[in-house]
Amino acid sequence: MSIVVTGGAGYIGAHVVRALASSGQDVVVVDDLSTSDAGRVAGVPLHRLDLTAPGADELVADVLRESRATAVVHLAAKKQVGESVARPEWYYRQNVGGLATVLEAARRTGCDRLVFSSSAAVYGEPASGVVDETTVAAPINPYGRTKLVGEWMVQDAGRAWGLRHLSLRYFNVAGAAVPELGDPAVLNLVTLVLDHLERGRRPVLFGDDYPTPDGSCVRDYVHVADLASAHVAALDYLGRDARDVEVLDVGLGRGSSVLEVLAAVERVTGLPTAPEVAPRRPGDPARLVATARRVRETLGWEPTHDLTSMVASAWEAWRHQRDAGLEPLRAG
Ligand SMILES: NC(=O)c1ccc[n+]([C@@H]2O[C@H](COP(=O)([O-])OP(=O)(O)OC[C@H]3O[C@@H](n4cnc5c(N)ncnc54)[C@H](O)[C@@H]3O)[C@@H](O)[C@H]2O)c1
């Protein structure tokens, strides 16, 4: 009996694999290693396959059968917003097509539990900056739309053939459980700032005139180890007879502004982070913070890391990557 984790070699996936293994589960990874490397899940069975390749549904079905999978955690996806705007059809093939492959294989083999990686990007630019799962989902880019379609797909599979499913809408993920598992991508604020500092550049602040206390955008940051433990709890939830929830926001329910993140980076690294101010970017809401009430009530989940811990572990991981000679993955 095992849990199959698609995208398990990735930044978040490797943390989910680690959390499941420490909770005593056997784990099998399915990943094409397009944005990751196998070293992150050394010792864990890994099937290298592209979920969008012809015949992938049969290959995934074989993995589910052979590993006697009781559930799938589906993280495999592409996640760059700008790239999704430039290449929407490819994003739909990757994110929607990849999920269709997994659902097809799950249905064929009778594997009836699935946790889906969704995103706060489904909220777009909500009128109120504090959201919960009753807030209307209105994504403003193809990436966010592929995530919302993914939520609909797993819900439809639930109605059609009884799939037990839960979509987790991750807010801003940062940090590392151990230095070897840091975020290799320079796409989120914390790694973007570390990358700038490393290259002797000043961080860039996009907009300092938002209607927030310090004028910079406010987001909800969650430590990747806390996020991983939410997946373990989500799988337990899917084993319950009474289930009335289909989506959960996973954030701390606390907002941090860009300037507060910069101050945390300065405290942790000792490097000056005074930013260069640039104009606002289109599609950046002033504030996007979860209430995170439902995830606590439903899963009994309690995050244990604060912003300083996220930044400190991200910095440690950043230096580890640099010492290992690994190049960060910058936006393409
Ligand atoms: N990092 C964040 O802040 C964040 C926020 C919200 C949601 N998410 C979602 O979480 C999930 C994991 O994100 P991550 O940050 O770990 O990204 P990541 O790029 O590190 O991990 C994605 C993994 O999926 C694999 N993959 C991609 N396409 C594949 C395909 N066609 N077939 C097989 N494997 C494939 C990659 O090789 C990689 O290992 C994604 O679904 C992403 O959309 C991430």
Side-chain angles (χ1 to χ4, degrees):
M1 308 278 250
S2 58
I3 310 290
V4 168
V5 180
T6 73
Y11 166 51
I12 299 169
H15 282 89
V16 171
V17 167
R18 187 174 183 273
L20 286 170
S22 25
S23 76
Q25 307 269 13
D26 286 331
V27 184
V28 172
V29 169
V30 169
D31 200 302
D32 68 354
L33 304 180
S34 51
T35 59
S36 56
D37 91 59
R40 290 178 166 257
V41 284
V44 178
L46 165 69
H47 296 266
R48 185 172 184 175
L49 67 94
D50 174 358
L51 295 173
T52 66
D57 46 355
E58 204 35 62
L59 296 175
V60 176
D62 289 344
V63 173
L64 295 178
R65 267 188 225 104
E66 280 162 24
S67 58
R68 296 171 57 231
T70 52
V72 177
V73 180
H74 178 64
L75 297 115
K78 302 295 189 277
K79 62 170 181 180
Q80 294 190 35
V81 171
E83 192 179 47
S84 82
V85 172
R87 300 179 68 193
E89 45 299 291
W90 189 69
Y91 261 69
Y92 278 94
R93 190 182 298 277
Q94 289 292 316
N95 295 3
V96 174
L99 173 58
T101 297
V102 171
L103 290 174
E104 184 72 45
R107 180 175 190 160
R108 215 177 287 166
T109 55
C111 176
D112 67 352
R113 296 180 191 190
L114 184 137
V115 176
F116 172 61
S117 291
S118 188
S119 167
V122 300
Y123 290 115
E125 295 179 280
S128 155
V130 179
V131 298
D132 68 14
E133 296 80 354
T134 64
T135 304
V136 175
I140 55 166
N141 53 57
Y143 169 70
R145 283 192 273 272
T146 65
K147 291 293 172 183
L148 186 56
V149 172
E151 293 184 4
W152 294 338
M153 287 166 75
V154 299
Q155 288 162 19
D156 284 339
R159 282 186 274 275
W161 53 275
L163 178 72
R164 294 167 174 244
H165 57 88
L166 194 55
S167 295
L168 301 181
R169 294 176 173 167
Y170 312 161
F171 277 64
N172 293 59
V173 190
V178 289
E180 298 75 23
L181 296 186
D183 187 352
V186 182
L187 298 170
N188 292 329
L189 179 63
V190 175
T191 49
L192 276 164
V193 172
L194 296 177
D195 190 43
H196 268 71
L197 295 179
E198 169 99 292
R199 298 203 273 168
R201 300 183 186 165
R202 287 171 69 191
V204 183
L205 173 63
F206 294 99
D208 64 352
D209 56 354
Y210 283 96
T212 57
D214 66 20
S216 68
C217 287
V218 172
R219 296 290 178 270
D220 190 333
Y221 294 87
V222 58
H223 192 292
V224 65
D226 283 331
L227 176 61
S229 73
H231 291 75
V232 179
L235 287 167
D236 283 347
Y237 176 78
L238 293 185
R240 291 187 207 162
D241 291 333
R243 285 167 289 105
D244 54 1
V245 161
E246 297 187 308
V247 295
L248 288 176
D249 292 340
V250 188
L252 293 199
R254 194 180 313 138
S256 303
S257 72
V258 176
L259 288 174
E260 284 168 342
V261 172
L262 290 178
V265 172
E266 186 161 323
R267 269 197 316 276
V268 163
T269 64
L271 298 169
T273 58
E276 186 182 309
V277 179
R280 293 181 180 193
R281 291 181 301 193
D284 257 352
R287 177 189 293 270
L288 187 58
V289 178
T291 66
R293 207 171 293 127
R294 193 191 275 182
V295 66
R296 287 180 155 93
E297 286 169 5
T298 309
L299 302 184
W301 174 76
E302 275 306 326
T304 56
H305 297 275
D306 62 8
L307 182 66
T308 305
S309 154
M310 290 177 224
V311 170
S313 61
W315 173 230
E316 209 186 327
W318 183 269
R319 283 181 300 168
H320 175 87
Q321 282 185 77
R322 187 185 56 196
D323 294 346
L326 301 170
E327 263 304 296
L329 305 171
R330 299 195 175 85

mmCIF file of all heavy atoms in Angstrom, residues 7-13 30-36 49-52 75-79 94 117-120 143 147 170-173 183 188, ligand 1:
data_model
loop_
_atom_site.group_PDB
_atom_site.id
_atom_site.type_symbol
_atom_site.label_atom_id
_atom_site.label_comp_id
_atom_site.label_asym_id
_atom_site.label_seq_id
_atom_site.Cartn_x
_atom_site.Cartn_y
_atom_site.Cartn_z
ATOM 1 N N GLY A 7 4.860 14.889 -9.218
ATOM 2 C CA GLY A 7 5.598 16.126 -8.950
ATOM 3 C C GLY A 7 6.353 16.036 -7.638
ATOM 4 O O GLY A 7 6.759 17.054 -7.062
ATOM 5 N N GLY A 8 6.577 14.805 -7.165
ATOM 6 C CA GLY A 8 7.185 14.586 -5.846
ATOM 7 C C GLY A 8 8.647 14.984 -5.758
ATOM 8 O O GLY A 8 9.185 15.122 -4.652
ATOM 9 N N ALA A 9 9.308 15.171 -6.918
ATOM 10 C CA ALA A 9 10.717 15.590 -6.873
ATOM 11 C C ALA A 9 10.841 17.110 -6.836
ATOM 12 O O ALA A 9 11.948 17.643 -6.750
ATOM 13 C CB ALA A 9 11.469 15.017 -8.081
ATOM 14 N N GLY A 10 9.717 17.805 -6.916
ATOM 15 C CA GLY A 10 9.747 19.274 -6.949
ATOM 16 C C GLY A 10 9.933 19.878 -5.562
ATOM 17 O O GLY A 10 10.082 19.164 -4.563
ATOM 18 N N TYR A 11 9.911 21.203 -5.526
ATOM 19 C CA TYR A 11 10.138 21.932 -4.268
ATOM 20 C C TYR A 11 9.127 21.505 -3.195
ATOM 21 O O TYR A 11 9.506 20.988 -2.130
ATOM 22 C CB TYR A 11 10.075 23.441 -4.551
ATOM 23 C CG TYR A 11 9.949 24.324 -3.338
ATOM 24 C CD1 TYR A 11 10.824 24.192 -2.257
ATOM 25 C CD2 TYR A 11 8.961 25.305 -3.272
ATOM 26 C CE1 TYR A 11 10.709 25.011 -1.139
ATOM 27 C CE2 TYR A 11 8.849 26.134 -2.170
ATOM 28 C CZ TYR A 11 9.714 25.984 -1.098
ATOM 29 O OH TYR A 11 9.598 26.793 -0.001
ATOM 30 N N ILE A 12 7.846 21.684 -3.467
ATOM 31 C CA ILE A 12 6.842 21.323 -2.459
ATOM 32 C C ILE A 12 6.696 19.805 -2.385
ATOM 33 O O ILE A 12 6.594 19.217 -1.294
ATOM 34 C CB ILE A 12 5.484 21.994 -2.780
ATOM 35 C CG1 ILE A 12 5.641 23.524 -2.772
ATOM 36 C CG2 ILE A 12 4.416 21.559 -1.788
ATOM 37 C CD1 ILE A 12 4.457 24.286 -3.337
ATOM 38 N N GLY A 13 6.711 19.151 -3.561
ATOM 39 C CA GLY A 13 6.522 17.702 -3.602
ATOM 40 C C GLY A 13 7.519 16.956 -2.723
ATOM 41 O O GLY A 13 7.152 16.025 -2.002
ATOM 42 N N VAL A 30 5.995 10.034 -9.052
ATOM 43 C CA VAL A 30 5.892 10.104 -10.513
ATOM 44 C C VAL A 30 6.285 11.525 -10.895
ATOM 45 O O VAL A 30 5.682 12.487 -10.410
ATOM 46 C CB VAL A 30 4.456 9.806 -10.988
ATOM 47 C CG1 VAL A 30 4.294 10.141 -12.463
ATOM 48 C CG2 VAL A 30 4.091 8.351 -10.730
ATOM 49 N N ASP A 31 7.312 11.660 -11.719
ATOM 50 C CA ASP A 31 7.801 13.005 -12.052
ATOM 51 C C ASP A 31 8.606 12.927 -13.340
ATOM 52 O O ASP A 31 9.328 11.948 -13.556
ATOM 53 C CB ASP A 31 8.695 13.519 -10.895
ATOM 54 C CG ASP A 31 8.843 15.025 -10.890
ATOM 55 O OD1 ASP A 31 9.303 15.577 -11.911
ATOM 56 O OD2 ASP A 31 8.505 15.651 -9.874
ATOM 57 N N ASP A 32 8.487 13.937 -14.194
ATOM 58 C CA ASP A 32 9.311 13.913 -15.417
ATOM 59 C C ASP A 32 10.621 14.679 -15.226
ATOM 60 O O ASP A 32 11.421 14.798 -16.153
ATOM 61 C CB ASP A 32 8.534 14.455 -16.633
ATOM 62 C CG ASP A 32 8.240 15.942 -16.530
ATOM 63 O OD1 ASP A 32 8.530 16.558 -15.473
ATOM 64 O OD2 ASP A 32 7.701 16.507 -17.503
ATOM 65 N N LEU A 33 10.812 15.217 -14.032
ATOM 66 C CA LEU A 33 12.038 15.963 -13.676
ATOM 67 C C LEU A 33 12.251 17.182 -14.586
ATOM 68 O O LEU A 33 13.379 17.638 -14.751
ATOM 69 C CB LEU A 33 13.266 15.031 -13.702
ATOM 70 C CG LEU A 33 13.160 13.783 -12.806
ATOM 71 C CD1 LEU A 33 14.439 12.934 -12.912
ATOM 72 C CD2 LEU A 33 12.912 14.161 -11.344
ATOM 73 N N SER A 34 11.155 17.719 -15.128
ATOM 74 C CA SER A 34 11.297 18.873 -16.024
ATOM 75 C C SER A 34 11.736 20.124 -15.267
ATOM 76 O O SER A 34 12.396 20.991 -15.849
ATOM 77 C CB SER A 34 9.993 19.142 -16.783
ATOM 78 O OG SER A 34 8.902 19.217 -15.898
ATOM 79 N N THR A 35 11.373 20.250 -13.990
ATOM 80 C CA THR A 35 11.810 21.428 -13.227
ATOM 81 C C THR A 35 12.433 21.008 -11.893
ATOM 82 O O THR A 35 12.391 21.761 -10.923
ATOM 83 C CB THR A 35 10.640 22.402 -12.956
ATOM 84 O OG1 THR A 35 9.625 21.699 -12.226
ATOM 85 C CG2 THR A 35 10.052 22.967 -14.224
ATOM 86 N N SER A 36 12.950 19.792 -11.837
ATOM 87 C CA SER A 36 13.443 19.300 -10.545
ATOM 88 C C SER A 36 14.552 18.284 -10.776
ATOM 89 O O SER A 36 14.878 17.986 -11.919
ATOM 90 C CB SER A 36 12.297 18.644 -9.781
ATOM 91 O OG SER A 36 11.715 17.617 -10.560
ATOM 92 N N LEU A 49 8.229 9.939 -15.698
ATOM 93 C CA LEU A 49 7.351 9.976 -16.870
ATOM 94 C C LEU A 49 6.603 11.293 -16.963
ATOM 95 O O LEU A 49 6.253 11.902 -15.950
ATOM 96 C CB LEU A 49 6.399 8.775 -16.901
ATOM 97 C CG LEU A 49 5.309 8.598 -15.867
ATOM 98 C CD1 LEU A 49 3.997 9.190 -16.355
ATOM 99 C CD2 LEU A 49 5.108 7.117 -15.607
ATOM 100 N N ASP A 50 6.387 11.695 -18.214
ATOM 101 C CA ASP A 50 5.694 12.951 -18.509
ATOM 102 C C ASP A 50 4.199 12.660 -18.586
ATOM 103 O O ASP A 50 3.755 11.877 -19.429
ATOM 104 C CB ASP A 50 6.227 13.486 -19.851
ATOM 105 C CG ASP A 50 5.480 14.717 -20.326
ATOM 106 O OD1 ASP A 50 4.516 15.149 -19.652
ATOM 107 O OD2 ASP A 50 5.861 15.243 -21.390
ATOM 108 N N LEU A 51 3.449 13.296 -17.709
ATOM 109 C CA LEU A 51 2.006 13.026 -17.633
ATOM 110 C C LEU A 51 1.263 13.461 -18.892
ATOM 111 O O LEU A 51 0.096 13.115 -19.061
ATOM 112 C CB LEU A 51 1.404 13.752 -16.418
ATOM 113 C CG LEU A 51 1.888 13.270 -15.054
ATOM 114 C CD1 LEU A 51 1.356 14.179 -13.953
ATOM 115 C CD2 LEU A 51 1.439 11.830 -14.814
ATOM 116 N N THR A 52 1.912 14.243 -19.732
ATOM 117 C CA THR A 52 1.219 14.720 -20.932
ATOM 118 C C THR A 52 1.646 13.934 -22.185
ATOM 119 O O THR A 52 1.195 14.243 -23.282
ATOM 120 C CB THR A 52 1.478 16.225 -21.173
ATOM 121 O OG1 THR A 52 2.870 16.394 -21.470
ATOM 122 C CG2 THR A 52 1.120 17.047 -19.957
ATOM 123 N N LEU A 75 0.727 17.016 -7.476
ATOM 124 C CA LEU A 75 1.368 18.337 -7.480
ATOM 125 C C LEU A 75 1.948 18.693 -8.837
ATOM 126 O O LEU A 75 2.254 19.867 -9.083
ATOM 127 C CB LEU A 75 2.523 18.368 -6.481
ATOM 128 C CG LEU A 75 2.197 18.174 -5.004
ATOM 129 C CD1 LEU A 75 2.805 16.885 -4.488
ATOM 130 C CD2 LEU A 75 2.707 19.329 -4.183
ATOM 131 N N ALA A 76 2.189 17.710 -9.699
ATOM 132 C CA ALA A 76 2.903 17.974 -10.958
ATOM 133 C C ALA A 76 2.177 19.042 -11.769
ATOM 134 O O ALA A 76 0.992 18.903 -12.064
ATOM 135 C CB ALA A 76 3.022 16.692 -11.773
ATOM 136 N N ALA A 77 2.875 20.099 -12.104
ATOM 137 C CA ALA A 77 2.286 21.187 -12.890
ATOM 138 C C ALA A 77 3.382 22.185 -13.221
ATOM 139 O O ALA A 77 4.470 22.150 -12.640
ATOM 140 C CB ALA A 77 1.188 21.894 -12.093
ATOM 141 N N LYS A 78 3.066 23.065 -14.160
ATOM 142 C CA LYS A 78 3.938 24.205 -14.416
ATOM 143 C C LYS A 78 3.340 25.397 -13.668
ATOM 144 O O LYS A 78 2.113 25.510 -13.543
ATOM 145 C CB LYS A 78 4.019 24.484 -15.920
ATOM 146 C CG LYS A 78 4.538 23.278 -16.734
ATOM 147 C CD LYS A 78 5.978 22.937 -16.396
ATOM 148 C CE LYS A 78 6.609 21.907 -17.324
ATOM 149 N NZ LYS A 78 6.299 20.503 -16.985
ATOM 150 N N LYS A 79 4.210 26.328 -13.202
ATOM 151 C CA LYS A 79 3.695 27.338 -12.259
ATOM 152 C C LYS A 79 4.112 28.779 -12.537
ATOM 153 O O LYS A 79 3.976 29.630 -11.676
ATOM 154 C CB LYS A 79 4.116 26.955 -10.846
ATOM 155 C CG LYS A 79 5.629 26.929 -10.665
ATOM 156 C CD LYS A 79 6.045 26.790 -9.225
ATOM 157 C CE LYS A 79 7.543 26.806 -9.103
ATOM 158 N NZ LYS A 79 8.049 26.670 -7.758
ATOM 159 N N GLN A 94 -0.317 20.995 -19.955
ATOM 160 C CA GLN A 94 0.457 20.538 -18.806
ATOM 161 C C GLN A 94 -0.420 20.349 -17.563
ATOM 162 O O GLN A 94 -0.410 19.294 -16.947
ATOM 163 C CB GLN A 94 1.557 21.566 -18.482
ATOM 164 C CG GLN A 94 2.671 21.615 -19.498
ATOM 165 C CD GLN A 94 3.501 20.340 -19.497
ATOM 166 O OE1 GLN A 94 3.859 19.818 -18.443
ATOM 167 N NE2 GLN A 94 3.792 19.821 -20.672
ATOM 168 N N SER A 117 -3.149 20.006 -5.813
ATOM 169 C CA SER A 117 -2.449 21.266 -5.528
ATOM 170 C C SER A 117 -3.101 22.397 -6.285
ATOM 171 O O SER A 117 -2.860 22.558 -7.478
ATOM 172 C CB SER A 117 -1.027 21.229 -6.083
ATOM 173 O OG SER A 117 -0.231 20.360 -5.415
ATOM 174 N N SER A 118 -3.894 23.193 -5.593
ATOM 175 C CA SER A 118 -4.437 24.385 -6.228
ATOM 176 C C SER A 118 -3.651 25.594 -5.709
ATOM 177 O O SER A 118 -2.579 25.435 -5.114
ATOM 178 C CB SER A 118 -5.937 24.499 -5.954
ATOM 179 O OG SER A 118 -6.482 25.556 -6.714
ATOM 180 N N SER A 119 -4.178 26.769 -5.949
ATOM 181 C CA SER A 119 -3.384 27.960 -5.658
ATOM 182 C C SER A 119 -4.284 29.131 -5.298
ATOM 183 O O SER A 119 -5.421 29.239 -5.795
ATOM 184 C CB SER A 119 -2.584 28.313 -6.916
ATOM 185 O OG SER A 119 -2.041 29.599 -6.802
ATOM 186 N N ALA A 120 -3.746 30.049 -4.498
ATOM 187 C CA ALA A 120 -4.452 31.299 -4.213
ATOM 188 C C ALA A 120 -4.639 32.106 -5.489
ATOM 189 O O ALA A 120 -5.440 33.053 -5.512
ATOM 190 C CB ALA A 120 -3.665 32.118 -3.189
ATOM 191 N N TYR A 143 -2.489 30.550 -15.771
ATOM 192 C CA TYR A 143 -2.050 29.652 -14.694
ATOM 193 C C TYR A 143 -3.176 29.467 -13.669
ATOM 194 O O TYR A 143 -3.551 28.339 -13.334
ATOM 195 C CB TYR A 143 -0.791 30.218 -14.012
ATOM 196 C CG TYR A 143 -0.462 29.487 -12.730
ATOM 197 C CD1 TYR A 143 0.006 28.177 -12.763
ATOM 198 C CD2 TYR A 143 -0.647 30.100 -11.484
ATOM 199 C CE1 TYR A 143 0.291 27.487 -11.583
ATOM 200 C CE2 TYR A 143 -0.371 29.416 -10.309
ATOM 201 C CZ TYR A 143 0.097 28.114 -10.357
ATOM 202 O OH TYR A 143 0.356 27.435 -9.186
ATOM 203 N N LYS A 147 -5.712 26.067 -12.599
ATOM 204 C CA LYS A 147 -5.910 25.542 -11.248
ATOM 205 C C LYS A 147 -7.401 25.447 -10.916
ATOM 206 O O LYS A 147 -7.850 24.493 -10.296
ATOM 207 C CB LYS A 147 -5.188 26.417 -10.223
ATOM 208 C CG LYS A 147 -3.673 26.318 -10.322
ATOM 209 C CD LYS A 147 -3.207 24.924 -9.928
ATOM 210 C CE LYS A 147 -1.746 24.685 -10.190
ATOM 211 N NZ LYS A 147 -1.349 23.295 -9.863
ATOM 212 N N TYR A 170 -2.820 26.748 -2.100
ATOM 213 C CA TYR A 170 -1.642 27.229 -1.386
ATOM 214 C C TYR A 170 -1.533 28.742 -1.547
ATOM 215 O O TYR A 170 -1.658 29.270 -2.649
ATOM 216 C CB TYR A 170 -0.342 26.649 -1.944
ATOM 217 C CG TYR A 170 -0.258 25.165 -2.184
ATOM 218 C CD1 TYR A 170 0.731 24.673 -3.034
ATOM 219 C CD2 TYR A 170 -1.106 24.258 -1.571
ATOM 220 C CE1 TYR A 170 0.859 23.317 -3.273
ATOM 221 C CE2 TYR A 170 -0.984 22.895 -1.810
ATOM 222 C CZ TYR A 170 -0.004 22.433 -2.669
ATOM 223 O OH TYR A 170 0.136 21.095 -2.905
ATOM 224 N N PHE A 171 -1.172 29.412 -0.438
ATOM 225 C CA PHE A 171 -0.846 30.835 -0.530
ATOM 226 C C PHE A 171 0.653 30.944 -0.849
ATOM 227 O O PHE A 171 1.146 30.177 -1.654
ATOM 228 C CB PHE A 171 -1.362 31.575 0.717
ATOM 229 C CG PHE A 171 -2.839 31.900 0.542
ATOM 230 C CD1 PHE A 171 -3.776 30.873 0.432
ATOM 231 C CD2 PHE A 171 -3.281 33.201 0.369
ATOM 232 C CE1 PHE A 171 -5.127 31.148 0.173
ATOM 233 C CE2 PHE A 171 -4.617 33.485 0.126
ATOM 234 C CZ PHE A 171 -5.540 32.457 0.031
ATOM 235 N N ASN A 172 1.390 31.882 -0.288
ATOM 236 C CA ASN A 172 2.781 32.076 -0.730
ATOM 237 C C ASN A 172 3.722 31.163 0.040
ATOM 238 O O ASN A 172 3.884 31.342 1.251
ATOM 239 C CB ASN A 172 3.164 33.549 -0.547
ATOM 240 C CG ASN A 172 2.364 34.429 -1.484
ATOM 241 O OD1 ASN A 172 1.136 34.436 -1.432
ATOM 242 N ND2 ASN A 172 3.039 35.126 -2.349
ATOM 243 N N VAL A 173 4.317 30.249 -0.673
ATOM 244 C CA VAL A 173 5.093 29.201 -0.024
ATOM 245 C C VAL A 173 6.564 29.617 0.048
ATOM 246 O O VAL A 173 7.119 30.125 -0.930
ATOM 247 C CB VAL A 173 4.967 27.880 -0.820
ATOM 248 C CG1 VAL A 173 5.567 26.725 -0.027
ATOM 249 C CG2 VAL A 173 3.504 27.602 -1.170
ATOM 250 N N ASP A 183 13.891 26.022 -2.200
ATOM 251 C CA ASP A 183 13.217 26.317 -3.474
ATOM 252 C C ASP A 183 14.282 26.679 -4.515
ATOM 253 O O ASP A 183 14.953 27.700 -4.383
ATOM 254 C CB ASP A 183 12.261 27.503 -3.251
ATOM 255 C CG ASP A 183 11.386 27.774 -4.464
ATOM 256 O OD1 ASP A 183 11.615 27.144 -5.521
ATOM 257 O OD2 ASP A 183 10.473 28.613 -4.347
ATOM 258 N N ASN A 188 9.416 33.446 -6.391
ATOM 259 C CA ASN A 188 8.676 34.000 -5.250
ATOM 260 C C ASN A 188 9.506 35.087 -4.576
ATOM 261 O O ASN A 188 10.730 35.119 -4.731
ATOM 262 C CB ASN A 188 8.363 32.896 -4.238
ATOM 263 C CG ASN A 188 7.362 31.901 -4.806
ATOM 264 O OD1 ASN A 188 6.519 32.276 -5.621
ATOM 265 N ND2 ASN A 188 7.477 30.660 -4.408
HETATM 266 N N1 LIG B 1 5.512 27.256 -5.102
HETATM 267 C C1 LIG B 1 4.400 27.935 -4.836
HETATM 268 O O1 LIG B 1 4.468 29.020 -4.238
HETATM 269 C C2 LIG B 1 3.037 27.403 -5.230
HETATM 270 C C3 LIG B 1 1.890 28.150 -4.876
HETATM 271 C C4 LIG B 1 0.639 27.658 -5.221
HETATM 272 C C5 LIG B 1 0.524 26.438 -5.880
HETATM 273 N N2 LIG B 1 1.642 25.741 -6.222
HETATM 274 C C6 LIG B 1 1.477 24.450 -6.918
HETATM 275 O O2 LIG B 1 2.180 23.448 -6.204
HETATM 276 C C7 LIG B 1 2.634 22.440 -7.100
HETATM 277 C C8 LIG B 1 4.118 22.195 -6.875
HETATM 278 O O3 LIG B 1 4.817 23.410 -7.071
HETATM 279 P P1 LIG B 1 6.370 23.559 -6.783
HETATM 280 O O4 LIG B 1 6.571 24.931 -6.279
HETATM 281 O O5 LIG B 1 6.854 22.427 -5.984
HETATM 282 O O6 LIG B 1 6.943 23.503 -8.271
HETATM 283 P P2 LIG B 1 8.104 22.608 -8.890
HETATM 284 O O7 LIG B 1 8.295 23.080 -10.293
HETATM 285 O O8 LIG B 1 9.283 22.580 -7.997
HETATM 286 O O9 LIG B 1 7.449 21.162 -8.880
HETATM 287 C C9 LIG B 1 6.623 20.658 -9.923
HETATM 288 C C10 LIG B 1 7.045 19.231 -10.167
HETATM 289 O O10 LIG B 1 6.198 18.659 -11.165
HETATM 290 C C11 LIG B 1 7.004 18.040 -12.148
HETATM 291 N N3 LIG B 1 6.269 18.116 -13.428
HETATM 292 C C12 LIG B 1 5.920 19.227 -14.095
HETATM 293 N N4 LIG B 1 5.277 18.905 -15.233
HETATM 294 C C13 LIG B 1 5.208 17.552 -15.258
HETATM 295 C C14 LIG B 1 4.670 16.618 -16.192
HETATM 296 N N5 LIG B 1 4.081 17.016 -17.337
HETATM 297 N N6 LIG B 1 4.773 15.287 -15.917
HETATM 298 C C15 LIG B 1 5.389 14.865 -14.768
HETATM 299 N N7 LIG B 1 5.920 15.705 -13.875
HETATM 300 C C16 LIG B 1 5.831 17.041 -14.100
HETATM 301 C C17 LIG B 1 8.300 18.833 -12.162
HETATM 302 O O11 LIG B 1 9.392 18.113 -12.699
HETATM 303 C C18 LIG B 1 8.474 19.144 -10.687
HETATM 304 O O12 LIG B 1 9.164 18.106 -10.009
HETATM 305 C C19 LIG B 1 2.283 22.929 -8.497
HETATM 306 O O13 LIG B 1 1.069 22.302 -8.872
HETATM 307 C C20 LIG B 1 2.085 24.423 -8.317
HETATM 308 O O14 LIG B 1 1.199 24.948 -9.260
HETATM 309 C C21 LIG B 1 2.903 26.187 -5.912
#
